[in-house]
Amino acid sequence: MRTKLFLAFIFIILLALLSNIVFERMIIRDFNDFIRGTEEDHIYWVMASVEGSYINGRWDRQLLGEALHWGLMLGFDAYVEDHWGNTVLSSSEVLSTISHNMRERMNSLLKLPSGAGEFVWYPLYAEGEEIGRLYIRPFERRGTVPLKEEIFRKRGKEFLVISFLIAGGGALILSILFTIFLSNPIRRLTKSAEKIAEGNFSVQTPKVHKNLKDEIDRLTESFNYMTEALRREDSLRRHLTSNIAHELRTPLTIIKGNLEAIEDGIISDPGAVIENIRSEIQRIIMLVEGIEDITNAEASFFRKGEIEEVNLKEFIESVAGGMRKIAEEKGLYLRTGGPSMNIKTYPEKLHIIVKNLLTNACKFTGSGGISINWGENGRGFYISVEDTGKGIAEDNISRIFNRFFKEEDSGGQGLGLAIVKELAEVMGGSVEVESVPGRGARFKVIF
Ligand SMILES: Nc1ncnc2c1ncn2[C@@H]1O[C@H](COP(=O)(O)OP(=O)(O)OP(=O)(O)O)[C@@H](O)[C@H]1O
Ligand SMILES: [Mg+2]
């Protein structure tokens, strides 16, 4: 990419150089045309006045002298030949007749007494007949006129160099800026992507500019989000596989042992054994359901979802309804209380949050029950889930929201509360917890 950018800028510089050269040539050519055009005009006027000095078939030397004198003042060295090729009058003859003073003055402008280069001749006519020829060539100039012409040409060249430097410098600065703002971030992204492709998810993700977000920043942002997703998926997969294997082994071993005992006929109370097997199978079912919940919650974390208006009372009562059977089977009450109010939220995410809090409350409560309350608070709403269960030891309060933190008897993966907290934060909220060990716990999500 850098090489391509560099070549593109070199191309632009060359293009600027080419256009400058063409432009300079055109200006100098126009300037030369202008000078030549003026000179031709002057020659034309000298010719016309020379022709005007041919009167009644003969040259009027007085008028011809004045014509050549005029030619001298316009900067021309000239002489006139008649029809037979004899010189009638020349600038040098006219020069010898003019005053010393005037000659000195002319000499300060022109290099007298004779012009430079070859003579060019023009035919002279009077009343349709050729009467002779005018030979003419310019004097070399002294003084400021040639200097000005020279300066003009020099300026043309300087213009070429300066504009080329400006274009070249501009292209150089642009190429540096492009490298900094375009090529470098893409290079960093490419490096990170390569590392991730090798399975290294702990790469440092590139920074995003907070204020001026361009396409590159948006690409980086999506890339970072994707990396985070992969990182989560990877750690989840590692933990889940080892934990599930571990969690499944105990109930399966118990079931197997019980079945073998039945086969061997050493069972005195088959009813108790079947109950044992049933409760272990129930444990497995809960484990599988827990894994399903966690997988859904993880998926929801990465799905942005749509904000919808829902009635909070109906919403919570429907989530609680799904849990009521489980609570009642454990002999627990499940109470709901709060106003009927409409809120704007991500229903899928909120459902996962409430369901996780309720599942925990059911799981960690032996007697008594669970109360869910909700209401408005200043700018938003809150939901609180309170139970009369075993509570949380003070030392653990700060750890329960960590991924994979769980207590021995939980039978879960230690992910529920981590997901609750992450989802609440994604939705712009927060979670608070209070607990008196042995008497219960209260979780409150505030939006
Ligand atoms: N209502 C509660 N009462 C007492 N302890 C709780 C309560 N909720 C959570 N905890 C403690 O916090 C730990 C972490 O809870 P979390 O929901 O993250 O994981 P889990 O319920 O053990 O497993 P998972 O939710 O992944 O199935 C639990 O193991 C438990 O020790
Ligand atoms: Mg849980």
Side-chain angles (χ1 to χ4, degrees), residues 290 294 356-357 360-361 363-365 387 389-392 396 400 402 405-407 409-418 440-441 443:
I294 282 160
N356 263 295
L357 293 178
N360 280 354
K363 192 157 61 168
F364 301 110
T365 305
D387 63 56
K390 70 182 183 88
I392 303 156
N396 287 343
I400 50 173
N402 294 348
F405 173 83
K406 57 171 182 164
E407 272 170 351
D409 59 347
S410 110
Q413 302 300 320
L415 280 169
L417 284 181
F443 287 84

Side-chain angles (χ1 to χ4, degrees), residues 130-159:
E130 195 173 332
I131 50 167
R133 290 175 176 183
L134 171 70
Y135 287 82
I136 196 162
R137 65 182 179 183
F139 283 110
E140 262 187 73
R141 285 169 182 274
R142 294 187 214 271
T144 56
V145 176
L147 205 67
K148 280 179 186 157
E149 286 176 15
E150 197 40 49
I151 285 174
F152 185 83
R153 290 198 180 86
K154 217 176 111 205
R155 283 276 179 275
K157 291 218 163 56
E158 280 172 3
F159 167 78

Side-chain angles (χ1 to χ4, degrees), residues 215-253:
E215 284 80 357
I216 300 270
D217 286 314
R218 286 209 290 278
L219 175 67
T220 311
E221 210 169 46
S222 304
F223 176 83
N224 289 352
Y225 201 76
M226 195 184 74
T227 312
E228 173 62 14
L230 285 171
R231 202 179 282 161
R232 290 171 68 103
E233 288 294 318
D234 184 57
S235 93
L236 186 69
R237 183 182 51 78
R238 282 169 205 268
H239 280 83
L240 276 187
T241 1
S242 68
N243 277 15
I244 291 166
H246 177 78
E247 300 288 341
L248 278 177
R249 189 166 297 127
T250 323
L252 287 176
T253 317

Side-chain angles (χ1 to χ4, degrees), residues 25-72:
R25 285 279 146 83
M26 279 163 59
I27 286 185
I28 297 289
R29 199 192 58 199
D30 285 353
F31 179 69
N32 288 341
D33 283 355
F34 169 75
I35 301 267
R36 201 174 314 122
T38 323
E39 200 176 86
E40 274 167 10
D41 283 355
H42 288 166
I43 291 174
Y44 178 82
W45 290 118
V46 174
M47 259 172 77
S49 70
V50 166
E51 284 172 343
S53 65
Y54 191 83
I55 300 166
N56 295 332
R58 49 181 289 274
W59 294 99
D60 183 323
R61 283 184 69 84
Q62 168 81 25
L63 288 178
L64 186 59
E66 281 170 17
L68 290 184
H69 189 222
W70 193 28
L72 271 170

Side-chain angles (χ1 to χ4, degrees), residues 155-214:
R155 283 276 179 275
K157 291 218 163 56
E158 280 172 3
F159 167 78
L160 170 79
V161 174
I162 290 171
S163 64
F164 173 68
L165 282 181
I166 292 175
L172 191 75
I173 292 172
L174 268 184
S175 72
I176 292 171
L177 288 180
F178 266 86
T179 310
I180 292 174
F181 291 113
L182 201 71
S183 164
N184 282 355
I186 290 184
R187 204 161 39 87
R188 279 196 292 270
L189 269 181
T190 315
K191 273 200 176 149
S192 304
E194 279 166 2
K195 284 205 182 119
I196 289 170
E198 286 163 9
N200 173 7
F201 299 114
S202 61
V203 287
Q204 171 116 42
T205 44
K207 276 208 187 78
V208 178
H209 299 105
K210 287 268 177 313
N211 305 329
L212 276 169
K213 265 193 201 167
D214 57 13

